[in-house]
C-alpha cells in the first residue's frame, strides 16, 4: 500500500503528482497495441530465447536495462539541438543555458587522469565514462560473441543508449528534488534516499541469494567481477533507479485508475499470447527415508508414513526435510529452481511429481532403496496459460509499465530541452 511507502507518501504530500508543468500525457484509455514495444520488464524476445512468465507474476528486474538500443542520432531527444557525438575530442556546446557549464573533459589529480567525464548536467552533476561502461558491461552478452567492426558498432550503440538512460534518470531525480525543495519538503529528500537505499539493499540481497552466494564478497568475486562492478556500485545504480521510477509512478498513479480495466487486460492477454505461454515444469523438494537404516522395510514404511501424516496435517515441509531426510535434501533451504520433466534425475519420482498440483504433497513412493515423499511448491503447464488471477496481474503490470515508460519518455524529453546538458565525449 502507498501509505507504507515513505517515498511515494512524500511525493503525494508534496503534491508532485499534480505539479504544474509535469507531463502526464493524455487521459485516454490505454489499449494494448501489438506494434508498441512493451515495458522493460516484459519486452518481447524471440521465442527461442524468451524466459517464461513466472506463475507469481512479472519476472524480477534484471541487472541491465531493456535491450532496445538507440541509434547514435537519437542520443539527444528529437527537437533538441544535436551535439557533436562523432569526434572524441570535441566539446559540445550546451543544449540550453549557454555558459552555465565550463568545458571539461577529464578530472585530473597530480596531472594524472583519474576520471573521464562524458557529460555534465546543470552546474555540477557529472556523468563519467566508467559509470556508463559499467552499465554497458552488464549487457555484454549482446555484443561479446560478435567480432571486428560489428562488435565495435554494437558496443557503441549500447554505450549511447546507456548514456542517455543515465542522463534521463539524473534529470528526473533533479526535477523531483527541485520540486520538493520548492514545496519546502527538504526533509523528504533524506527520507526518500533512505527508502530507496533500503530497496536497493533488498534487491542486492535477493540477487546474491539467486546467484547462490552467501556474502557480498563472494557475490562480487563470482558474479559482479566480470562486469567490473562491486556491491556499492550496484547498490548505487539500484538506488538511483528506484528514486526515478517511484517519481514516475507518482505522476501516473491517478491516471492509471480506471485506465487499465479488465477489458484492457483481456485485450493484452489476447494480443500477446507468447508472453503467457508456459512449459511443463515445476519446483519441488523431496524427503527420503532409507530402508537399510531400519530393522525391516516395514519399520521404514511406518517411519515414513508418520512423516507423511505430519505433512498432510500442515507441518512445514522444509522443516520436516531438515529433521528427517536421509538423502541429499537435508540442508536444502527450500524448493530448487524450475525443472522440466526430462531434468528430474530421480526418474522413479517423475510420474508422481508431474501428477501433483502446486502445494500438494505426495503419498509414499517406494523404491528399491527406501521411501520418498515429495512436495511440489510451484507448477507451470505447457501451452497458453488460462486467464487466471496471476495472468491478469502480469498483464495489468505490463500495461501500467507501458504508461510509466511513456510518461518517463515525455518528461525526460522535456527536461532535456529545459536543462543544461552538455555531452563532452562519446566513443
Amino acid at each position: 500500500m502507498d501509505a507504507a511507502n515513505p517515498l511515494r507518501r512524500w511525493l503525494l504530500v508534496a503534491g508532485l503528482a499534480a505539479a504544474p508543468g509535469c507531463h502526464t500525457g493524455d487521459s485516454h484509455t490505454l489499449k494494448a497495441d501489438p506494434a508498441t514495444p512493451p515495458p522493460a520488464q516484459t519486452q518481447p524476445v524471440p521465442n527461442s530465447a524468451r524466459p517464461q512468465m513466472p506463475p507469481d507474476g512479472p519476472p524480477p528486474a534484471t541487472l541491465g536495462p531493456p535491450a532496445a538500443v538507440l541509434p547514435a542520432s537519437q542520443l539527444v531527444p528529437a527537437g533538441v539541438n544535436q551535439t557533436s557525438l562523432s569526434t572524441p575530442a570535441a566539446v559540445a556546446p550546451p543544449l540550453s543555458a549557454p555558459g552555465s557549464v565550463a568545458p571539461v573533459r577529464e578530472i585530473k589529480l597530480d596531472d594524472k587522469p583519474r576520471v573521464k567525464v562524458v557529460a555534465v548536467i546543470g552546474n555540477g552533476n557529472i556523468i563519467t565514462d566508467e559509470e556508463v561502461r559499467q552499465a554497458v558491461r552488464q549487457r555484454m552478452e549482446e555484443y561479446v560473441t560478435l567480432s571486428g567492426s560489428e562488435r565495435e558498432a554494437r558496443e557503441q550503440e549500447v554505450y549511447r543508449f546507456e548514456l542517455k538512460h543515465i542522463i534521463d534518470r539524473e534529470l528526473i531525480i533533479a526535477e523531483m528534488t527541485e520540486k520538493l525543495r520548492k514545496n519546502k519538503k527538504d526533509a523528504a529528500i533524506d527520507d526518500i534516499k533512505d527508502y530507496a537505499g533500503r530497496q536497493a539493499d533488498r534487491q542486492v540481497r535477493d540477487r546474491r541469494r539467486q546467484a547462490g552466494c552467501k556474502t557480498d564478497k563472494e557475490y562480487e568475486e563470482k558474479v559482479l567481477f566480470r562486469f567490473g562492478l562491486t556491491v556499492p556500485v550496484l547498490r548505487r545504480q539500484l538506488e538511483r533507479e528506484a528514486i526515478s521510477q517511484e517519481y514516475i509512478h507518482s505522476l501516473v498513479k491517478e491516471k492509471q485508475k480506471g485506465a487499465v480495466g479488465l477489458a484492457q487486460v483481456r485485450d493484452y492477454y489476447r494480443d500477446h499470447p507468447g508472453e503467457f505461454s508456459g512449459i511443463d515444469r515445476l519446483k519441488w523438494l523431496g524427503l527420503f527415508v532409507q530402508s537399510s537404516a531400519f530393522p525391516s522395510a516395514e519399520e521404514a514404511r511406518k517411519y515414513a508414513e508418520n512423516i507423511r501424516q505430519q505433512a498432510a496435517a500442515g507441518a512445514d515441509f522444509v522443516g520436516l526435510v531438515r529433521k528427517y531426510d536421509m538423502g541429499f535434501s537435508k540442508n536444502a533451504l527450500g524448493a530448487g529452481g524450475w525443472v522440466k520433466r526430462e531434468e528430474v534425475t530421480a526418474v522413479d519420482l517423475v510420474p508422481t511429481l508431474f501428477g501433483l498440483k502446486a502445494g500438494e504433497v505426495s503419498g509414499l513412493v517406494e523404491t528399491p532403496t527406501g521411501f520418498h515423499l515429495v512436495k511440489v511448491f510451484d507448477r507451470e503447464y505447457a501451452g497458453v496459460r488460462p486467464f487466471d488471477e496471476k495472468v491478469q496481474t502480469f498483464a495489468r503490470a505490463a500495461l501500467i509499465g507501458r504508461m510509466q515508460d511513456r510518461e518517463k519518455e515525455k518528461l525526460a524529453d522535456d527536461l532535456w530541452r529545459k536543462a543544461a546538458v552538455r555531452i563532452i565525449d562519446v566513443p
Side-chain angles (χ1 to χ4, degrees):
M1 297 178 61
D2 288 345
N5 185 329
L7 193 157
R8 201 166 296 162
R9 185 180 69 247
W10 273 114
L11 295 176
L12 294 173
V13 169
L16 300 193
C22 293
H23 286 267
T24 56
D26 300 328
S27 59
H28 62 275
T29 300
L30 179 64
K31 288 280 187 179
D33 181 4
T36 303
Q41 65 268 34
T42 57
Q43 183 136 357
V45 295
N47 288 335
S48 60
R50 185 195 310 281
Q52 301 299 320
M53 186 193 79
D56 289 334
T62 57
L63 269 176
V69 174
L70 293 177
S73 61
Q74 295 183 24
L75 177 63
V76 180
V80 178
N81 293 332
Q82 298 284 327
T83 59
S84 176
L85 302 178
S86 58
T87 305
V91 175
L95 299 177
S96 60
S100 61
V101 180
V104 57
R105 192 173 176 209
E106 290 183 340
I107 294 177
K108 294 186 177 183
L109 300 174
D110 302 328
D111 292 328
K112 295 181 180 179
R114 293 289 190 271
V115 179
K116 179 180 178 182
V117 178
V118 294
V120 181
I121 304 172
N123 290 320
N125 189 356
I126 64 171
I127 307 299
T128 67
D129 175 71
E130 179 59 23
E131 181 176 6
V132 182
R133 291 200 180 278
Q134 286 168 359
V136 172
R137 287 193 291 268
Q138 293 176 41
R139 295 170 58 183
M140 65 171 60
E141 71 279 357
E142 298 178 32
Y143 56 83
V144 71
T145 58
L146 305 176
S147 59
S149 59
E150 187 178 6
R151 171 173 176 166
E152 182 179 355
R154 179 62 175 171
E155 190 172 358
Q156 288 176 349
E157 288 180 10
V158 176
Y159 187 101
R160 284 166 168 78
F161 177 89
E162 293 302 335
L163 174 56
K164 182 180 184 300
H165 177 83
I166 292 171
I167 293 174
D168 288 351
R169 182 191 73 198
E170 295 304 315
L171 285 170
I172 290 169
I173 292 175
E175 165 89 349
M176 182 195 73
T177 302
E178 180 182 0
K179 288 186 178 296
L180 284 170
R181 285 176 176 158
K182 283 184 177 180
N183 283 274
K184 301 186 184 302
K185 300 292 182 181
D186 293 69
I189 298 173
D190 290 335
D191 283 349
I192 289 171
K193 186 175 180 180
D194 288 343
Y195 170 78
R198 291 194 298 273
Q199 290 292 95
D201 288 339
R202 179 185 58 78
Q203 291 184 61
V204 170
R205 287 194 302 271
D206 289 346
R207 293 181 182 188
R208 189 185 68 204
R209 283 195 294 265
Q210 290 172 7
C213 300
K214 295 182 179 180
T215 65
D216 286 351
K217 182 178 180 181
E218 183 184 8
Y219 185 43
E220 287 180 347
E221 293 175 349
K222 291 185 176 180
V223 180
L224 298 183
F225 176 77
R226 64 192 180 104
F227 301 118
L229 292 172
T230 62
V231 167
V233 168
L234 175 62
R235 184 188 180 280
R236 180 184 182 278
Q237 289 181 355
L238 295 172
E239 179 182 313
R240 304 295 283 179
E241 291 293 334
I243 295 172
S244 172
Q245 289 299 324
E246 285 295 334
Y247 180 49
I248 297 300
H249 179 93
S250 72
L251 297 179
V252 301
K253 179 175 174 58
E254 294 302 319
K255 284 177 53 183
Q256 73 188 42
K257 290 181 179 178
V260 183
L262 184 60
Q264 288 71 39
V265 170
R266 191 179 294 278
D267 286 346
Y268 189 89
Y269 171 77
R270 180 198 63 212
D271 296 335
H272 301 82
E275 294 183 28
F276 304 99
S277 295
I279 57 177
D280 202 16
R281 60 179 188 169
L282 48 78
K283 293 181 180 180
W284 70 287
L285 183 63
L287 188 156
F288 175 62
V289 174
Q290 187 173 349
S291 293
S292 62
F294 297 84
S296 67
E298 187 58 31
E299 289 295 323
R301 179 189 294 276
K302 290 180 181 179
Y303 185 84
E305 174 61 22
N306 177 266
I307 299 171
R308 188 201 67 77
Q309 291 177 9
Q310 293 182 56
D316 175 47
F317 193 79
V318 176
L320 293 176
V321 169
R322 290 177 180 170
K323 185 175 182 180
Y324 297 112
D325 181 66
M326 299 178 182
F328 299 104
S329 301
K330 194 174 188 68
N331 297 320
L333 298 177
W338 289 99
V339 291
K340 294 181 286 187
R341 184 181 296 266
E342 62 271 19
E343 294 171 341
V344 179
T345 56
V347 293
D348 292 339
L349 302 179
V350 169
T352 299
L353 279 171
F354 284 84
L356 296 173
K357 298 178 182 179
E360 288 186 338
V361 178
S362 73
L364 295 183
V365 180
E366 185 175 3
T367 64
T369 56
F371 298 88
H372 297 264
L373 190 64
V374 296
K375 178 176 181 177
V376 171
F377 285 80
D378 216 335
R379 185 81 164 85
E380 186 174 333
Y381 299 89
V384 178
R385 296 189 60 195
F387 190 64
D388 56 18
E389 185 177 349
K390 289 182 179 179
V391 162
Q392 292 176 39
T393 299
F394 181 88
R396 183 172 287 105
L399 288 168
I400 292 173
R402 286 189 175 196
M403 293 180 67
Q404 293 178 352
D405 286 347
R406 291 170 182 169
E407 185 66 32
K408 181 178 180 179
E409 184 178 355
K410 290 179 183 179
L411 178 59
D413 286 354
D414 184 53
L415 294 175
W416 270 80
R417 294 181 176 89
K418 295 192 301 183
V421 178
R422 183 174 294 202
I423 307 297
I424 304 297
D425 187 2
V426 177

